[in-house]
Amino acid sequence: RAKAAGGNRYELADADSDARTIARHDLTNCLPGALENGEFFIEYQPLVRLSDGTVRGAEALVRWLHPVHGVLGPDQFIPLAESTGLIVPLGRWVLEEAARQARAWRNDGRCRVPLRVNVNLSPSQLRYPALVAETVAVLDNAGLDPSALCLEVTESALIGADEEQLRPLRQLADLGVDIALDDFGTGYSNLAYLRRLPVSTLKLDRSFTRGMQCVPADPVDVKIVEGIVSLAHTLDLSVTVEGVETGTQADRLRILGCETGQGWYYARPGPPERLHTLSLADAASCPRN
Ligand code: C2E
Ligand code: MG
Ligand code: MG
Ligand code: MG
């Protein structure tokens, strides 16, 4: 945790190679204790308004500083947390921590605009009966307006959900919480279904924005992004793009009408203290760490 807070860089181990070396049961066994021992920490990655480069907020991305294996990325333990039920308390902790952090950014006064925070929700959390009540309580305790929070839900978590199962999300949306459809485009959404979902933002998966890095841009990817943006805007949804790694890519996605960008071009996920600096700098001139 100290290492992360100090802002030292490390690379998250590649999930595949790690799966070979770290036994699944080993991680599963120490997962519950890890939450009690405070071994989780959050990195924040800025969300940037493409039209003018302002930092509008950040996505909270959880990491586990394992006493033996070092820093593990969410792909290595979220599926385990999900299958063992620990995701509910872990997700609650992430939400509390992220809300506390958003409050701290707002109190600090050095940010250009009041920063919002994005938190990922997993499928079990959506089924957890106290989700709405707990989220409202967390926002209250942090003194945050619901619009300061965006909850990211993957497309695959919502596929096949009926009105009853969507109710918690709809209640949160009605309260003013922003709901984003994460990894959009990877889950075979039925497009007619999209208009029934209580979402306000599509987060376009990295696989669609990759072709925008090439010179010239991949013409098929350009058409796909164009189509998705036009669909999103017809449905009154805004578009956030993941995986913005180059300036050319950022320009193209802005010209195609995407509202918000996130990616290594602006900043890698990092400690919360860095948001002040990033918010004050012109995002385009941010260090490309
Ligand atoms: P996601 O929500 O789609 O998050 C974006 C992922 O893309 C992050 O990976 C981020 O580090 C990575 N990324 C950001 N910019 C770039 C870029 O320019 N290039 C490339 N190649 N990658 C980029 P990370 O941190 O490993 O997180 C993986 C996934 O784990 C997240 O995907 C999210 O679904 C899940 N996750 C993270 N934190 C939480 C959490 O607190 N709760 C739950 N349920 N899931 C979480
Ligand atoms: Mg996400
Ligand atoms: Mg995503
Ligand atoms: Mg993704």
Side-chain angles (χ1 to χ4, degrees):
R1 185 193 271 274
K3 190 174 168 192
N8 293 340
R9 295 286 354 133
Y10 53 78
E11 292 299 322
L12 295 181
D14 159 49
D16 284 343
S17 68
D18 251 67
R20 282 197 296 273
T21 52
I22 309 176
R24 186 187 156 89
H25 72 264
D26 177 16
L27 289 186
T28 310
N29 286 342
C30 46
L31 206 49
L35 189 57
E36 288 161 29
N37 298 340
E39 290 168 13
F40 293 102
F41 65 97
I42 301 177
E43 289 196 310
Y44 294 87
Q45 185 177 36
L47 288 148
V48 175
R49 186 159 69 186
L50 291 171
S51 61
D52 61 2
T54 354
V55 175
R56 311 302 294 182
E59 178 173 7
L61 295 161
V62 68
R63 280 89 177 80
W64 178 7
L65 180 51
H66 189 284
V68 176
H69 303 298
V71 176
L72 302 179
D75 293 339
Q76 292 165 287
F77 61 85
I78 292 288
L80 296 179
E82 179 80 36
S83 61
T84 57
L86 190 80
I87 192 69
V88 168
L90 176 59
R92 182 191 299 127
W93 177 82
V94 172
L95 180 65
E96 280 167 358
E97 189 63 20
R100 198 195 50 69
Q101 189 55 61
R103 171 41 58 205
W105 286 325
R106 286 164 179 237
N107 286 351
D108 183 284
R110 274 181 293 166
C111 295
R112 264 199 221 169
V113 296
L115 296 183
R116 310 171 64 213
V117 74
N118 285 34
V119 174
N120 294 285
L121 274 194
S122 72
S124 321
Q125 289 176 276
L126 285 175
R127 292 189 300 265
Y128 172 64
L131 175 72
V132 177
E134 284 185 5
T135 305
V136 168
V138 166
L139 288 168
D140 262 9
N141 288 338
L144 288 177
D145 189 82
S147 64
L149 175 68
C150 173
L151 294 173
E152 300 192 1
V153 186
T154 60
E155 202 182 2
S156 50
L158 295 185
I159 284 178
D162 58 25
E163 208 33 57
E164 175 72 24
Q165 290 159 327
L166 290 174
R167 190 180 302 146
L169 274 192
R170 199 173 298 286
Q171 285 173 342
L172 289 166
D174 288 344
L175 289 168
V177 174
D178 191 13
I179 312 287
L181 205 49
D182 206 353
D183 299 338
F184 181 74
T186 61
Y188 307 100
S189 283
N190 164 342
L191 295 180
Y193 178 65
L194 196 55
R195 52 188 302 206
R196 297 185 25 237
L197 297 178
V199 299
S200 36
T201 302
L202 296 186
K203 272 194 101 170
L204 193 51
D205 192 68
R206 196 159 75 229
S207 50
F208 295 100
T209 61
R210 208 172 282 141
M212 239 51 71
Q213 282 179 30
C214 315
V215 181
D218 182 323
V220 175
D221 282 343
V222 170
K223 287 285 177 206
I224 291 175
V225 174
E226 237 167 28
I228 292 175
V229 169
S230 120
L231 169 79
H233 290 174
T234 304
L235 297 174
D236 254 340
L237 307 173
S238 76
V239 178
T240 297
V241 284
E242 300 183 333
V244 180
E245 295 182 353
T246 70
T248 311
Q249 202 185 359
D251 286 341
R252 286 175 174 152
L253 291 162
R254 175 179 51 78
I255 291 163
L256 288 173
C258 304
E259 280 83 5
T260 309
Q262 177 179 2
W264 297 349
Y265 172 62
Y266 300 108
R268 297 211 177 204
E273 300 77 39
R274 210 189 35 173
L275 260 292
H276 302 123
T277 332
L278 293 171
S279 170
L280 286 177
D282 195 5
S285 63
C286 280
R288 312 276 152 80
N289 48 52

